[in-house]
Amino acid sequence: MIVSPATTIADLAAALRQRDVTATALVEECLATIAALDETLNAFVLVRADESRAEARAADRELARGEDRGPLHGVPVSLKDVIDLAGAPTTAATPVRAGHRAAADAAVAAHLRAAGAVIVGKCNLHELAFGTTGEASACGPTRNPHDPRHVAGGSSSGSAVSVSTGMALASVGTDTGGSIRIPASACGVVGLKPAYGEVSADGVFPLAPSLDHVGPIARSVRDAETLYRVLRGRSAGGDASDARAAPVQPHPRLGVPRRYFLDLLEPSVEEAFEAAVERLAGDGCRIADADIPHAADAGPVYLHTQLPEAAACHRTLLDRHGEDLSEEVRLRLALGRYVLAEDYVRAQRGRAVLAGEVDTALEGCDALLLPALPIVPPRLGVERIAVGGTTEAVRPLTLRLTQLFDLTGHPAIAIPCGHAGGLPAGLQLVGRRDGTAALLALAAAWEQTIRGQASAPENGANS
Amino acid sequence: MDLDAWFDHARRDAAEQGSPGLEPLLDMLQRATRALRAADWTQGPGDGGEGGAPDARPPIPPPGRGPDGSR
């Protein structure tokens, strides 16, 4: 077995160059893992077995000739199936796009290919990336590798599962309200939403364009950093990264925005988060209170931005093929048509206020520190959850701690911080709008403290 | 437009289109719209008929695509 729960891309890159392992062997192992687990977990829409084997052989030949494309050369990765790959369908997990074939690679896919990555397949998602559980999909629901009775989180559900289980070493997802960070947290892996616009969305099937972010899901912060650089087209030389060049404070100040963000948490999630905060404080971080005065208004602002943008994006699809969509996705798309223009404008003013407030909160600290998901990933089919003395719908609960930073464009990273209710729990670090590299450097420096004990599934779906 | 009148219209429209499933979502959206309009940032010039354009500057650099996905 080449890939253990602790294996990083850096480990593999070294092993590939020392000829201790080949890209071909790596891909075979990923394909074998897919064959063993994916009937249960349903992470993949398309497995590129023949193509990935050919790409791996090409990578092995290049490395043998001394042609080195950088740290992803020969490394198997997966793509959320909203990302165009020339010649392959981009289904967005909806039957409406059956028969689609991408004419060209998305910008991020082209960057990955140029970096020598081996694309092992395209991953399942919540239909149209319009949901947070990964349940509604033309390909069936994705299941949590730590307990297949539970959701994997969404919408980049298959991406997170593929990374968590070793079906791929990393993946590329999208995040409109939390769709990278939510499944990363639910599956016990790292998910980075870069600052808005840093990674190109060209060739990526949109949901709500002013909110859509493209970013990596990976097994470690360093792996996420490697993907982040490649996705931006910065990796070719494989030299010192922006993040490594960024100075890291020996005793960083982390602001915890307790009001709103810690008001509605399942007890086991709160326990995991507070334990991580204690570990960070014990290891030298300075923990401070932070405040985002209008945080509780983020939900209405998000709804009045995301719903009309999604309705506008997919108006033709809704008019011509609405009956083919899952009921929940069709209804939410249709709902966007009832948002008044004046309320969309109000929401944009709200975004500006919220962005200023997050900027202000970050003036006094190096990063904000908060949970990623307020609840334990629910069982499939559960629509409402009792939490904090009330019963709430799953969708707004899952978006509650992540959507603000899609509205404001600040970079945010989800990192495993232990377990809650027997499933992974994650926390978020949020950085300055121009500070993704600094955020990654901070996150990498404190990752082991945040994690406490390892959270990778030992036996995947076989447990 | 008056919020309640708008959502009454929306519910009738949804019913005529044979989408009864929209009704609870419209109820949720109506509550959210009420909250959005009640937020104190909406009390500046341009909201009370006092003149002046609302400040709707985007909080982040202009996206490569418009809100409807256009380029």
Side-chain angles (χ1 to χ4, degrees):
Chain A
M1 184 173 172
I2 303 165
V3 179
S4 76
T7 305
T8 67
I9 288 174
D11 296 334
L12 292 173
L16 281 163
R17 281 149 189 81
Q18 290 163 7
R19 309 287 187 271
D20 292 337
V21 66
T22 64
T24 300
L26 265 177
V27 163
E28 290 299 338
E29 186 165 300
C30 289
L31 292 173
T33 305
I34 292 169
L37 299 182
D38 209 39
E39 189 173 335
T40 300
L41 300 179
N42 205 21
F44 279 86
V45 169
L46 172 71
V47 179
R48 300 177 70 245
D50 293 342
E51 298 92 331
S52 62
R53 285 180 174 120
E55 289 166 11
R57 286 194 297 270
D60 285 331
R61 285 194 297 271
E62 288 176 343
L63 286 166
R65 290 196 298 265
E67 296 173 24
D68 192 336
R69 297 177 185 231
L72 283 188
H73 201 168
V75 174
V77 301
S78 63
L79 300 177
K80 183 179 184 177
D81 198 21
V82 291
I83 297 169
D84 281 352
L85 198 61
T90 306
T91 70
T94 181
V96 174
R97 289 176 63 84
H100 169 270
R101 287 287 182 281
D105 285 344
V108 290
H111 289 319
L112 285 169
R113 287 197 206 254
V118 175
I119 298 171
V120 73
K122 302 191 77 182
C123 288
N124 203 357
L125 64 143
H126 205 108
E127 186 176 26
L128 302 182
F130 204 168
T132 56
T133 62
E135 291 174 283
S137 164
C139 309
T142 311
R143 295 173 180 273
N144 195 303
H146 296 260
D147 184 340
R149 295 170 299 178
H150 290 252
V151 304
S155 62
S156 308
S157 49
S159 287
V161 171
S162 73
V163 174
S164 176
T165 53
M167 296 175 183
L169 269 294
S171 191
V172 184
T174 59
D175 191 313
T176 303
S179 285
I180 287 174
R181 292 161 287 157
I182 291 166
S185 177
C187 294
V189 293
V190 171
L192 170 69
K193 182 196 78 66
Y196 181 78
E198 282 189 308
V199 174
S200 172
D202 283 352
V204 178
F205 188 75
L207 176 58
S210 85
L211 297 165
D212 290 344
H213 298 68
V214 182
I217 294 176
R219 297 156 72 90
S220 70
V221 175
R222 286 299 187 203
D223 284 0
E225 175 207 330
T226 299
L227 262 288
Y228 164 72
R229 286 175 50 76
V230 169
L231 297 180
R232 298 181 73 203
R234 300 277 178 90
S235 67
D239 54 1
S241 72
D242 294 342
R244 289 191 184 102
V248 180
Q249 296 285 339
H251 301 288
R253 190 175 172 89
L254 304 176
V256 180
R258 292 189 174 274
R259 189 159 63 98
Y260 174 75
F261 292 100
L262 303 192
D263 285 350
L264 199 61
L265 301 177
E266 281 197 302
S268 59
V269 172
E270 184 172 14
E271 194 176 312
F273 175 72
E274 295 293 359
V277 172
E278 275 188 30
R279 289 195 297 274
L280 286 164
D283 284 358
C285 291
R286 294 170 294 161
I287 307 297
D289 286 341
D291 191 38
I292 298 164
H294 281 90
D297 294 314
V301 171
Y302 180 79
L303 272 181
H304 288 82
T305 302
Q306 193 253 17
L307 288 174
E309 290 195 13
C313 252
H314 299 308
R315 58 194 177 279
T316 305
L317 186 152
L318 185 58
D319 286 339
R320 295 184 185 170
H321 306 287
E323 68 279 7
D324 294 326
L325 296 167
S326 66
E327 180 76 348
E328 65 155 275
V329 169
R330 182 183 71 78
L331 290 175
R332 281 206 299 276
L333 271 183
L335 187 65
R337 291 179 157 169
Y338 296 103
V339 173
L340 289 166
E342 64 177 275
D343 292 316
Y344 180 80
V345 172
R346 281 190 177 92
Q348 303 322 295
R349 184 185 303 167
R351 287 177 79 175
V353 171
L354 286 164
E357 290 181 354
V358 176
D359 286 341
T360 301
L362 283 162
E363 282 174 8
C365 56
D366 296 290
L368 299 178
L369 175 65
L370 63 155
L373 258 179
I375 55 175
V376 175
R379 286 194 179 216
L380 273 84
V382 170
E383 293 180 356
R384 300 181 69 82
I385 292 206
V387 57
T390 182
T391 301
E392 298 278 339
V394 165
R395 178 179 163 78
L397 269 176
T398 47
L399 291 167
R400 181 178 167 88
L401 307 181
T402 51
Q403 63 195 349
L404 171 62
F405 309 107
D406 292 283
L407 286 167
T408 67
H410 291 78
I413 188 167
I415 302 170
C417 68
H419 289 81
L423 290 166
L427 59 69
Q428 289 183 93
L429 289 169
V430 180
R432 295 187 175 88
R433 275 193 265 185
D434 61 353
T436 306
L439 176 69
L440 282 162
L442 176 71
W446 294 93
E447 181 176 6
Q448 290 312 313
T449 300
I450 290 168
R451 283 179 180 266
Q453 299 299 313
S455 61
E458 293 299 324
N459 299 304
N462 298 325
S463 62
Chain B
M1 175 177 256
D2 174 75
L3 197 60
D4 291 336
W6 169 248
F7 277 99
D8 286 344
H9 164 79
R11 276 184 276 270
R12 283 195 301 276
D13 184 62
E16 284 169 12
Q17 291 183 32
S19 290
L22 265 175
E23 189 153 339
L25 293 179
L26 285 166
D27 293 344
M28 178 273 295
L29 181 60
Q30 185 171 6
R31 290 192 297 274
T33 307
R34 200 171 279 133
L36 179 77
R37 293 187 178 190
D40 56 4
W41 63 63
T42 64
Q43 300 306 309
D47 273 312
E50 302 294 323
D55 178 5
R57 288 171 296 179
I60 45 186
R65 291 188 273 208
D68 65 347
S70 61
R71 289 171 196 278

